[in-house]
Amino acid sequence: MKKNFLFLLALLCTAVQVGWAQSEMDTVYVSKKDHPDAAYFLPEPPDTNSVAFIDDMIQWEWGKSQRNTPRGEQASRETPWLPEIMRTVMAEVLQIDTISDEKTPALSRLLVKSYHTGNQSTVAPKETYSRKRPIVRLNEDTWGKYDSDFLRTNGSYPSGHTAFGWATALAFAEMWPELQDTILRRGVQFGENRIITGAHWQSDVNAGYLCAAASMAKAHTNPDFLKDVLAARAEYAKLKGLPAGYDPVSKADVPHGEDFLNMPVDTASYRYAADVLQFWDAKRLRDTERGHQAEEEADYSVEMMQKVFGEAMGINISPVSTPAICELIELVLNKASETADRLKPIRFRKRPFVQLGEHTTVPEDEEKEKGKSSFPSGHTNLGWSMALVMAEVAPEQQNEILRRGYQYGYNRLIAGYHWASDIEASRLLASALVARLHADLPFLQLVYRARYEFLLNATGITTVLDDQEPASSPAYLLNGIPATPDSHGIIIQNGQKFLVK
C-alpha cells in the first residue's frame, strides 16, 4: 500500500510539474530556468564609491528635473507593473484604438508573452544583488502615480520595467519594421521614465535594456515566437486595411539611430563629467590582462569575430568546418557596420583621445580614426549584435557568448576610442539591428543552418535525418521505434545521436 501511495504521489507531482511548465510557457517565450544569466554576462551594479555611480547621481538629478513636465507626467502614468501599460503604449505607437485579447488576439499574444519574457529576465539578478533603489538610498518618497512602497524591498538592478518595455518594443519592431524607429523610441523612453520617477538608477536601466535583448535572443529559439510575430503582422495589416501582399519588411532598411537614440552627450552637459571620469577610470586597466585583451581585439574583422565567438561557443569557426556560421558572421558584421557608419556623420562627437589630447592603446589607428565620430561605437554595435545572434545559434553557451559580446564593447572605453555613454547607446542600436534582421526570411534560414552546424561541431552527433514529416505524431520512426526530438532537434537511440534537420 505504501509503495502504491508513493507511486501515485510521484505521478501527481510529475503531472503538476508538467502542467506548471505548460502554463508557464503559455505566458512567456523563455522559461524561467532558461533565461540568460545576467549576473554572469553583465557587471555588478556600481558601488556608491565608484566612478560609474557618479553618472547614476547625475542622471538622478536630471530625472527629478523632468517631473513637472509633459515627459514627467508620461513617466508617472507609465508606472503600472502590468501588461496593460504596454497595451496602451503600443496601441498609441501603432495608431490603433486598442490591443486586447478580444479585438486583436494575435497582437495581444505577442505583447503579453514578450512583456512577461522581458520582465522575467531581471528576476534572478535582482535577487542576486538586492541593490537599493534611489528612493531608498536617498530617503525619498515614491513619485510615480502607480508606484508603491513595494519598490523599497525589490531590487533596483536591473530595471524590470525597462526590460519588459524594451522586450515588447523589440518584438513589435520586428513585427512591423516600417514603424521600427517610432516603436524603438518609445521603448527607450519607457526605460528612461524609471529614472524620472526615481525608481531606478541609470545603470539599472542600462542593464534592463540588455537583459531584455538577451532574453529576446533566447525567445528566437522558440518556434512559437516567429509564429506569433507573423500572426500579429497579418492581423495588423488587416486591421489597417492594407492590400493583400503588403510587405512592411521591404519598406524598412536598418534602424535609424538618430530617430530613437538620445543625442550624444555634449561637453556642456553635467553627464560629460561622468564620461570623462569613466575614461580615466578605464585607462587604469590598460597595463592589465584586460587591457591587453582590449588592444588585441581592436581588430574589426571577420577573422576576429570568428576567434572571439568561436572561443565563447567552444568550437573552431572556419570556412571549412562551419561555412554557414562564417556567412552569418560576415552578414552581421556588414549590417552592423552599415548601421553605425550611417549614423556617425549625423551625430558626430569627438573621440575621447581627441577631445582630451590623449593617446590610445592602438596608436597606429589614431590618425585614421581621429576624424571619425565616437558616436556610435562601431565595435560595440558589432560585438553586441554578434553576441545576440550567436547566443541564438548556440543557446547552450549563451552566457559566455553574451559576456564576450559585452566585453568587446567595453574594450573601446579601455582603449580610449569611445565614451561610456556612446557604448551604452550602441548596445541599444545593436539590439534594434538584430530585431530588424530577424524580419528577413533569408536571415532566419541562415541562422537555422548555423544552428545545425553548431550542433554538429559541439555535440558529437553522428547521424543526420533528412527532412521528413512524422507519420501521425511528433515522433519519428527510428528502426521501427517512435522517437521524439528534444528541444534541440536531437534524438538519442542506443547511444547514437540523430539530428532532425
Side-chain angles (χ1 to χ4, degrees):
M1 177 68 72
K2 185 177 180 181
K3 286 184 178 180
N4 289 338
F5 172 76
L6 291 175
F7 176 69
L8 290 173
L9 181 61
L11 283 179
L12 177 62
C13 289
T14 301
V16 170
Q17 289 172 346
V18 169
W20 180 85
Q22 289 174 337
S23 63
E24 180 193 20
M25 294 311 293
D26 284 340
T27 58
V28 295
Y29 291 114
V30 182
S31 67
K32 187 175 181 180
K33 64 181 179 60
D34 289 332
H35 276 279
D37 182 4
Y40 181 81
F41 70 82
L42 293 181
E44 295 181 359
D47 188 81
T48 53
N49 64 0
S50 69
V51 167
F53 187 68
I54 295 172
D55 188 52
D56 278 345
M57 284 301 303
I58 289 172
Q59 286 299 90
W60 154 261
E61 292 293 344
W62 167 82
K64 291 191 75 172
S65 75
Q66 299 296 305
R67 291 183 179 179
N68 294 320
T69 69
R71 177 69 188 280
E73 293 172 5
Q74 178 196 71
S76 181
R77 288 194 309 271
E78 295 180 357
T79 50
W81 207 323
L82 294 166
E84 279 61 36
I85 188 58
M86 295 314 301
R87 294 182 192 274
T88 300
V89 170
M90 286 300 131
E92 290 175 357
V93 172
L94 296 178
Q95 297 183 340
I96 57 179
D97 292 337
T98 185
I99 295 177
S100 67
D101 293 342
E102 296 75 24
K103 294 186 177 181
T104 58
L107 287 166
S108 181
R109 181 173 179 80
L110 178 64
L111 184 147
V112 170
K113 295 185 76 171
S114 298
Y115 166 96
H116 285 299
T117 299
N119 187 46
Q120 199 178 76
S121 71
T122 65
V123 172
K126 278 177 177 287
E127 293 174 352
T128 297
Y129 296 117
S130 298
R131 187 187 192 189
K132 290 182 180 179
R133 292 176 183 262
I135 55 173
V136 177
R137 175 68 65 186
L138 302 175
N139 194 28
E140 293 266 352
D141 293 326
T142 56
W143 185 80
K145 183 176 181 180
Y146 301 101
D147 280 337
S148 69
D149 282 341
F150 161 76
L151 296 180
R152 296 186 180 278
T153 58
N154 180 262
S156 188
Y157 181 92
S159 164
H161 275 71
T162 301
F164 70 64
W166 190 236
T168 306
L170 291 175
F172 274 65
E174 181 175 338
M175 184 276 295
W176 204 261
E178 191 175 5
L179 290 175
Q180 62 184 352
D181 297 331
T182 305
I183 294 169
L184 294 165
R185 180 59 186 161
R186 283 299 276 119
V188 170
Q189 289 180 327
F190 192 85
E192 284 183 335
N193 285 348
R194 299 306 283 166
I195 301 170
I196 295 173
T197 64
H200 285 286
W201 306 102
Q202 176 70 55
S203 54
D204 301 335
V205 170
N206 293 342
Y209 293 131
L210 300 187
C211 285
S215 287
M216 292 309 286
K218 180 70 173 184
H220 281 98
T221 67
N222 183 343
D224 288 343
F225 179 71
L226 178 58
K227 292 177 185 177
D228 289 349
V229 167
L230 295 176
R233 188 178 295 163
E235 182 177 82
Y236 182 64
K238 183 177 180 180
L239 196 65
K240 300 296 285 185
L242 296 169
Y246 187 88
D247 182 15
V249 177
S250 63
K251 305 287 183 181
D253 56 3
V254 297
H256 295 177
E258 70 273 18
D259 290 333
F260 68 88
L261 296 176
N262 292 329
M263 293 287 288
V265 174
D266 186 82
T267 53
S269 165
Y270 286 118
R271 203 173 181 195
Y272 174 67
D275 266 347
V276 172
L277 290 170
Q278 288 182 85
F279 168 86
W280 290 111
D281 190 54
K283 187 178 177 182
R284 296 184 299 109
L285 298 174
R286 291 184 181 181
D287 290 330
T288 67
E289 183 178 347
R290 187 71 181 80
H292 298 153
Q293 179 192 59
E295 182 177 353
E296 177 187 355
E297 293 178 2
D299 181 14
Y300 192 103
S301 66
V302 168
E303 291 73 23
M304 180 56 69
M305 293 296 96
Q306 292 173 357
K307 177 181 181 296
V308 169
F309 290 99
E311 291 173 354
M313 295 163 75
I315 63 172
N316 178 46
I317 298 177
S318 74
V320 175
S321 61
T322 57
I325 294 177
C326 287
E327 184 181 346
L328 184 60
I329 285 175
E330 187 168 2
L331 185 153
V332 174
L333 187 150
N334 289 336
K335 287 296 183 179
S337 298
E338 177 187 346
T339 308
D341 289 346
R342 71 166 302 282
L343 181 56
K344 282 181 179 290
I346 300 173
R347 292 287 184 261
F348 184 84
R349 185 186 188 188
K350 287 184 180 180
R351 293 183 183 270
F353 77 91
V354 177
Q355 187 79 53
L356 302 176
E358 283 283 318
H359 284 293
T360 70
T361 60
V362 194
E364 61 271 23
D365 288 347
E366 290 176 13
E367 187 61 31
K368 68 177 182 179
E369 296 293 335
K370 68 180 182 181
K372 297 180 182 178
S373 177
S374 179
F375 185 95
S377 165
H379 279 71
T380 303
N381 184 40
L382 170 61
W384 191 241
S385 296
M386 200 70 70
L388 294 175
V389 173
M390 291 303 143
E392 180 181 349
V393 171
E396 297 84 355
Q397 303 296 330
Q398 62 186 0
N399 293 326
E400 192 60 39
I401 292 168
L402 293 165
R403 182 185 180 96
R404 291 296 283 115
Y406 184 92
Q407 289 175 339
Y408 193 77
Y410 188 74
N411 285 349
R412 302 305 282 172
L413 181 60
I414 297 173
Y417 275 91
H418 290 283
W419 303 100
S421 59
D422 299 339
I423 289 170
E424 294 295 349
S426 299
R427 294 192 180 109
L428 291 176
L429 186 64
S431 306
L433 171 62
V434 171
R436 173 60 187 86
L437 290 175
H438 275 89
D440 292 326
L441 180 58
F443 177 80
L444 296 175
Q445 293 170 333
L446 183 55
V447 170
Y448 178 86
R449 286 166 46 209
R451 170 69 177 150
Y452 165 64
E453 279 184 355
F454 171 77
L455 288 171
L456 286 179
N457 281 270
T459 62
I461 293 167
T462 57
T463 306
V464 179
L465 300 179
D466 291 329
D467 292 336
Q468 56 177 300
E469 289 293 328
S472 59
S473 72
Y476 287 75
L477 285 178
L478 287 181
N479 302 316
I481 303 172
T484 303
D486 66 12
S487 60
H488 305 306
I490 299 172
I491 298 172
I492 301 177
Q493 190 179 95
N494 297 327
Q496 188 175 16
K497 292 183 180 180
F498 299 84
L499 175 66
V500 180
K501 292 177 67 175

